[in-house]
Amino acid sequence: MKNHEGVESGMTNAQLNAFLEQLAKLIESKAITVADAAELVRQAKTE
């Protein structure tokens, strides 16, 4: 989303919600332990 100056200002609430839902589904399908879940979240972070 761009602000009035055309600068990128981040995700919309809908985009963030979609990302979090996908992350939750990934955790549900792959994680066995809390450590597994934490690693999946860390891998989802941007560089």
Side-chain angles (χ1 to χ4, degrees):
M1 188 163 109
K2 296 190 183 232
N3 66 19
H4 68 280
E5 297 171 349
V7 177
E8 192 69 30
S9 62
M11 286 192 226
T12 65
N13 284 344
Q15 289 170 322
L16 178 57
N17 286 339
F19 170 76
L20 291 173
E21 182 60 29
Q22 287 301 111
L23 186 55
K25 287 178 181 179
L26 179 65
I27 290 168
E28 287 174 337
S29 70
K30 302 258 183 190
I32 296 170
T33 66
V34 172
D36 292 341
E39 184 57 29
L40 288 167
V41 171
R42 288 185 180 103
Q43 289 175 2
K45 290 172 31 178
T46 60
E47 296 296 320

